[in-house]
Amino acid sequence: MIRTLLGRAGLIAAAAGLVTVISAAPAAAHGADAPDGTDYRTRTTGIAPARPGLEVRVIEAGARLELTNRTGRTIEVIGYSGEPYLRVGPDGVFENSHSPATYLNRTIAGDTSLPAEADPAAAPSWQRIDDGTTARWHDQRALWQESAPPAAVRAAPDREHRVRDWTIPLRDGTDPVVIGGTLDWVPPPDAYTWWAVTIVGLLAVGALGLFAATAPAGARALSALGVLLIVGGALAVGYPVGRELDAGARGVGGVLVGLLSGQIWSLFTGLGAIAAGWYALSRRPAADFVVALAGTCLALFAGASNAAVFSRAIAPVPWSPAAARVMVALFLITGAGATAAGILRLHATSRTTAAAPRVETAESGSTAAG
């Protein structure tokens, strides 16, 4: 019995692992350094003096700033040594290859090695990087770069702390302009509580697999698993959409481009869970295996991959961090629970099938003896 159960689980794990390997490269290519969660809240207080048509916002849970210039004039972002770093205007977005910020801002850690041409005193050498009027970049002035939290946080980690007020200089022609903002440390949630609730929930869903598949209760349990997968799949589609919106995507087209180029497997996971749910509700052949496989993918790609929100105060979505945690908990509960229930149902079905020939043989033997 244990060997058969492990065999079923291994088959499902192998199938999910194959999907993981296939999807690894595309997933890593999207927002490779965008955090899955953070305890530092970056906010912008706006641009001063205000410029109609010039807008700034914080994206990717504070990892980047987004500047949109609809003024019709060229706006420059000033680097760390007072040199021109970015140029945003009607002719597109340009970066100065002589600015050290061009290289330091390529990663959130700011650990890119500077080439010999990085010289803030040199005349700007502009290279076009985008045809639009929106620039997005990491900026160390708006981030906390140290591995350890500030001293005030270490002294009182249960309270919110203002880390600093920050400014980033701009230039509108010859006029100085400033982006202002704040950086705060926010106490993280109790991850143990979230994990405890999640484990209890997935055990409850997994227990649906204990009902005999051929009994009316087993049919209702399969329907319940189908409903859970449809709901979980719908939320799993919504979560990467939220991440794209938080990463700066604008409009339906921008969201679709982001999903198809960077989060296509997260999207497929949600759609696959919805399809598996309908399959289960229709009580098609092999529905138990489909439920288990879809549950595994949901738990891995929508749940485990976003589980950092259980221990981080700020989530990379445009809704509240608490809502993000509830969604991730539901992904894990539904996904892991459906996997366990599907495996249990598969095992029960295989045991029943294996027992059927023995019953028939015994009857034949009795007839022959008579």
Side-chain angles (χ1 to χ4, degrees), residues 52-315:
L54 188 62
E55 301 172 354
V56 65
R57 65 171 179 157
V58 175
I59 61 174
E60 291 183 358
R64 297 179 195 265
L65 298 177
E66 178 187 85
L67 181 73
T68 300
N69 179 17
R70 299 190 184 92
T71 65
R73 305 183 303 275
T74 296
I75 302 293
E76 290 183 353
V77 180
I78 306 303
Y80 304 122
S81 299
E83 81 286 1
Y85 156 48
L86 290 174
R87 193 178 79 192
V88 187
D91 54 347
V93 179
F94 295 77
E95 63 181 10
N96 176 14
S97 61
H98 289 162
S99 169
T102 293
Y103 309 97
L104 295 174
N105 291 352
R106 286 180 178 172
T107 65
I108 193 171
D111 53 3
T112 307
S113 299
L114 296 179
E117 64 180 310
D119 180 4
S125 176
W126 296 109
Q127 308 292 326
R128 186 196 297 269
I129 58 173
D130 194 274
D131 294 332
T133 57
T134 297
R136 300 182 181 97
W137 75 98
H138 298 298
D139 201 299
Q140 297 177 22
R141 291 164 287 200
L143 297 169
W144 179 255
Q145 300 292 81
E146 304 296 329
S147 57
V153 173
R154 296 195 298 270
D158 58 337
R159 294 192 294 113
E160 187 173 315
H161 296 272
R162 172 62 48 84
V163 176
R164 64 169 172 262
D165 297 320
W166 53 265
T167 59
I168 298 172
L170 308 177
R171 192 155 49 218
D172 181 0
T174 58
D175 296 334
V177 185
V178 171
I179 300 174
T182 58
L183 179 65
D184 296 290
W185 189 87
V186 182
D190 182 5
Y192 295 105
T193 299
W194 285 98
W195 279 113
V197 170
T198 298
I199 291 171
V200 171
L202 68 86
L203 290 175
V205 174
L208 293 174
L210 298 174
F211 294 100
T214 56
R220 290 194 294 270
L222 182 61
S223 297
L225 289 170
V227 171
L228 287 172
L229 282 173
I230 290 173
V231 173
L235 292 175
V237 171
Y239 200 90
V241 169
R243 293 203 63 163
E244 286 301 323
L245 292 172
D246 188 70
R250 294 180 182 271
V252 175
V255 170
L256 285 176
V257 169
L259 289 173
L260 296 177
S261 63
Q263 299 202 64
I264 188 169
W265 290 106
S266 297
L267 177 64
F268 281 174
T269 293
L271 295 176
I274 294 172
W278 283 115
Y279 198 87
L281 287 174
S282 301
R283 300 177 188 176
R284 302 287 184 85
D288 295 332
F289 180 82
V290 172
V291 164
L293 180 59
T296 301
C297 293
L298 187 65
L300 288 175
F301 302 133
S305 63
N306 294 301
V309 297
F310 284 173
S311 58
R312 293 290 179 262
I314 308 300

